Amino acid sequence: MYFIGLIALLISLPILGIAGAWLHLDAAGIDAIRQQVQTVLPGYLATSGWLALFVTAGVILVGAATAVAISLFEFRGKRFLSWALLLPMAMPAYVSAYAYTDFLQYAGMVQSSLRDMFPGFRIDVRSLSGAIFLFVFTLYPYAYLLARNALSERGVHLMEAARLLGTPPHERIYRVALPLARPALMAGAALALMETLADYGVSAYFGLTTFTTGIYKAWMVMDDRIAAAQYASLLLLFVAVLLWLERREQQRMRFSSVRGNRHGGNGDGGAESRLPQLHGVKAVAAWLVCATPIVLGFVLPMLILLQLMWRESEMSLATNLLRYAGWTWNSFRFGGIAAAIAIVLALALCFAQRAGDLPRFKYGFLRVVARIASMGYAIPGSVIAIGILLPIAWLQAVFPGSMAGVWLTATSLGVIYAYLVRFTAVAVQSVEAGYTRIPLSFDEAARTMGTSRRRIVQKLHMPLLWRSLATAALMVFVDVVKELPATLLLRPFNTDTLAVIAHNLARDERLGEAALPALSIVVVGLIPVLLVTRALNNR
């Protein structure tokens, strides 16, 4: 129980650190807030607001169109497109930004050819509209995947019932399919929006003034920890609202799933519920709807990065490979350590919740701890980093001889701690899903034979949970490799990861050199996408 309490304290410390910054607000701090309101804060609000609005609309539009095409119609190539639509999940938005910046540069072949045909034509990808484009086509899989599951489970029978009543196809989609998928689309859009607000790579590379870039500038450039905490608290408040909305929509999805299964049949795909077959122009239209996001979100950026890497390899392959080995080792070292610790914490949290002999107070406390742990993934990495640095700065000011600041900023402990705060939730979700397949009667039978809890975990649970534990470790590992803002703020000196070095090289306009680490991040990100695809096919 004390171990679980320590986990709760450590996970909640960054949030408490940000909230505690407001307790020490003095006259100088109030004056600083007034200056921010008059200068930079309106820009942060405007840019973040426009991003939130248009990315949400774009993700819902693309996710709904692709989910309807895949779930409610049959056409040639549908099986391939159904899993290929998940590929952009492996492409971080900041990596896609590097690729499109090189592809659409002013002196490049694409813009030069367009200017020859249309004099005065110009595309500025490094802009707010360019960022919206990148976020939409790298994050739409969240909405697509949830809406596809919702429509596949319940939409077929309801669409067939509407057809038998004489409803035209476009009315069936508008009045049956889209309302049915609305909770899933909103939940997916909330997840995509949290990723957008947490992003630092695209905003910094494009020069956008968002809350995430404001946090980084306030701390690293202006050396103003109060301003950084204020920006972080505003962003944290907005993310908390999004997390509440996402959970509410998830609850609606579960409720409608029960109702749909109760009234909609067993989903056996009988003759009466076969999907309509598309031919000719309609089949081509469905192909275009599904293939366009795949090309724009994954295929084209991947080809651009491969071309950049090939061009760079002709200049200095041996030197690049030597540096690449060091960056890869740092990424894999951080990912491996964080994944190992995360699955231990997740196993402890989930096993503690299964204990049936706990008093009501302790059981309620465990549920609160699990809820705190599940919030970490929704908190941007920059907010977590500031939440860690603020208490350390206070501790150093109160106890100048303390070595806590050195241990957390000059070693790997700080960045590992940030990874655990953010990504333990991923491991907890995977282990919880595994525990749902282990009946409590197994634990009770073991206890009647006098088996200790430690041996129950070692000899009973772990052999049954090894798939869930492996999945949790893999997901945490991949997320750590892709994480950028927390790593930028907390990494030790001369310790660059693939994400950090790709960002730094792209920032210096050395896109050819940034292609190799960026491609490595994409390849690592493909692993969970393939696992999700396999799970969907097996289901």
Side-chain angles (χ1 to χ4, degrees):
M1 191 67 183
Y2 295 107
F3 176 70
I4 302 299
L6 179 61
I7 294 175
L9 178 62
L10 292 176
I11 290 177
S12 61
L13 183 61
I15 301 176
L16 297 176
I18 292 172
W22 291 93
L23 300 178
H24 301 281
L25 194 63
D26 52 11
I30 296 175
D31 185 61
I33 293 176
R34 187 180 298 110
Q35 292 179 1
Q36 294 165 26
V37 172
Q38 296 173 354
T39 54
V40 296
L41 192 57
Y44 294 155
L45 287 171
T47 305
S48 299
W50 286 119
L51 269 178
L53 177 63
F54 285 104
V55 169
T56 301
V59 165
I60 290 175
L61 179 62
V62 177
T66 52
V68 167
I70 292 297
S71 303
L72 303 180
F73 299 99
E74 285 288 349
F75 53 92
R76 188 181 297 274
K78 169 187 167 179
R79 184 177 179 85
F80 164 76
L81 292 172
S82 64
W83 67 264
L85 280 164
L86 298 175
L87 290 176
M89 294 182 72
M91 181 72 64
Y94 61 86
V95 173
S96 187
Y98 309 152
Y100 274 106
T101 298
D102 181 81
F103 183 65
L104 297 176
Q105 58 181 312
Y106 183 78
M109 181 182 65
V110 176
Q111 287 221 49
S112 299
S113 301
L114 290 173
R115 282 197 304 273
D116 292 339
M117 294 184 291
F118 309 100
F121 182 86
R122 182 178 179 181
I123 300 175
D124 185 11
V125 68
R126 299 176 73 166
S127 61
L128 179 61
S129 58
I132 292 170
F133 170 85
L134 293 174
F135 285 127
V136 168
F137 286 103
T138 54
L139 299 176
Y140 78 86
Y142 288 108
Y144 158 73
L145 187 59
L146 294 177
R148 172 191 165 185
N149 291 339
L151 292 175
S152 297
E153 291 173 357
R154 305 177 298 280
V156 177
H157 298 285
L158 296 178
M159 289 285 285
E160 179 66 16
R163 186 189 68 82
L164 294 175
L165 292 173
T167 308
H170 66 279
E171 287 287 331
R172 296 202 297 268
I173 294 174
Y174 178 73
R175 300 179 63 180
V176 177
L178 293 182
L180 188 65
R182 187 186 66 83
L185 289 172
M186 294 304 297
L191 293 173
L193 190 52
M194 284 189 282
E195 290 288 339
T196 302
L197 295 175
D199 173 80
Y200 173 78
V202 175
S203 301
Y205 186 55
F206 284 3
L208 302 179
T209 55
T210 62
F211 273 108
T212 308
T213 57
I215 292 170
Y216 187 85
K217 290 177 182 178
W219 186 275
M220 302 298 293
V221 179
M222 301 170 58
D223 195 24
D224 189 346
R225 62 181 183 179
I226 298 299
Q230 291 162 358
Y231 299 152
S233 61
L234 291 175
L235 184 57
L236 185 61
L237 178 62
F238 192 65
V239 168
V241 173
L242 286 177
L243 190 62
W244 174 76
L245 291 174
E246 188 268 339
R247 284 177 176 166
R248 190 182 69 171
E249 298 300 332
Q250 290 282 3
Q251 291 175 354
R252 291 184 178 182
M253 288 168 57
R254 288 192 291 269
F255 175 72
S256 60
S257 176
V258 173
R259 287 190 62 184
N261 289 337
R262 187 176 297 171
H263 298 284
N266 55 9
D268 57 358
E272 293 184 352
S273 60
R274 288 178 181 173
L275 301 178
Q277 185 76 33
L278 300 182
H279 300 283
V281 177
K282 293 182 179 180
V284 172
W287 247 95
L288 289 176
V289 166
C290 297
T292 300
I294 301 171
V295 173
L296 296 178
F298 182 81
V299 176
L300 185 56
M302 193 75 171
L303 293 176
I304 297 169
L305 291 174
L306 288 171
Q307 189 269 338
L308 284 171
M309 188 183 68
W310 176 260
R311 188 175 66 193
E312 175 65 21
S313 66
E314 294 178 349
M315 293 185 286
S316 54
L317 178 60
T319 304
N320 281 344
L321 289 179
L322 289 175
R323 293 183 297 171
Y324 172 77
W327 307 329
T328 305
W329 165 245
N330 290 330
S331 295
F332 278 56
R333 175 166 59 93
F334 287 155
I337 295 173
I341 300 176
I343 60 174
V344 172
L345 297 181
L347 188 61
L349 282 170
C350 295
F351 176 72
Q353 292 183 81
R354 286 173 62 89
D357 54 349
L358 289 177
R360 179 175 298 180
F361 171 77
K362 290 185 177 181
Y363 182 75
F365 175 73
L366 288 174
R367 290 183 61 85
V368 172
V369 170
R371 180 61 59 88
I372 294 175
S374 66
M375 288 182 61
Y377 192 67
I379 303 175
S382 57
V383 175
I384 292 175
I386 297 301
I388 294 173
L389 290 173
L390 279 175
I392 294 301
W394 175 83
L395 188 63
Q396 288 292 107
V398 176
F399 304 102
S402 173
M403 297 293 292
V406 176
W407 281 105
L408 286 177
T409 58
T411 68
S412 301
L413 289 179
V415 69
I416 295 295
Y417 175 39
Y419 294 149
L420 292 175
V421 172
R422 183 151 197 242
F423 301 127
T424 296
V426 179
V428 168
Q429 291 176 359
S430 179
V431 176
E432 279 183 345
Y435 262 125
T436 58
R437 297 188 292 269
I438 303 178
L440 284 173
S441 58
F442 287 12
D443 297 27
E444 296 169 357
R447 288 174 186 171
T448 58
M449 294 185 290
T451 308
S452 64
R453 291 185 176 182
R454 181 177 61 84
R455 286 188 59 83
I456 289 176
V457 174
Q458 291 179 346
K459 300 298 183 180
L460 177 62
H461 291 173
M462 292 188 68
L464 298 174
L465 287 172
W466 73 269
R467 291 182 183 273
S468 298
L469 294 174
T471 301
L474 181 61
M475 297 293 287
V476 173
F477 176 83
V478 172
D479 283 331
V480 167
V481 171
K482 295 192 294 184
E483 172 62 28
L484 179 60
T487 312
L488 272 173
L489 287 169
L490 294 171
R491 76 190 191 282
F493 292 110
N494 298 321
T495 306
D496 291 326
T497 63
L498 291 171
V500 170
I501 203 64
H503 168 73
N504 290 340
L505 291 172
R507 182 190 57 192
D508 296 338
E509 300 301 330
R510 298 158 64 185
L511 292 175
E513 297 177 61
L516 182 59
L519 271 174
S520 303
I521 296 171
V522 175
V523 171
V524 172
L526 280 173
I527 299 174
V529 174
L530 297 177
L531 289 177
V532 171
T533 303
R534 181 180 177 183
L536 290 174
N537 291 335
N538 289 340
R539 187 186 65 177

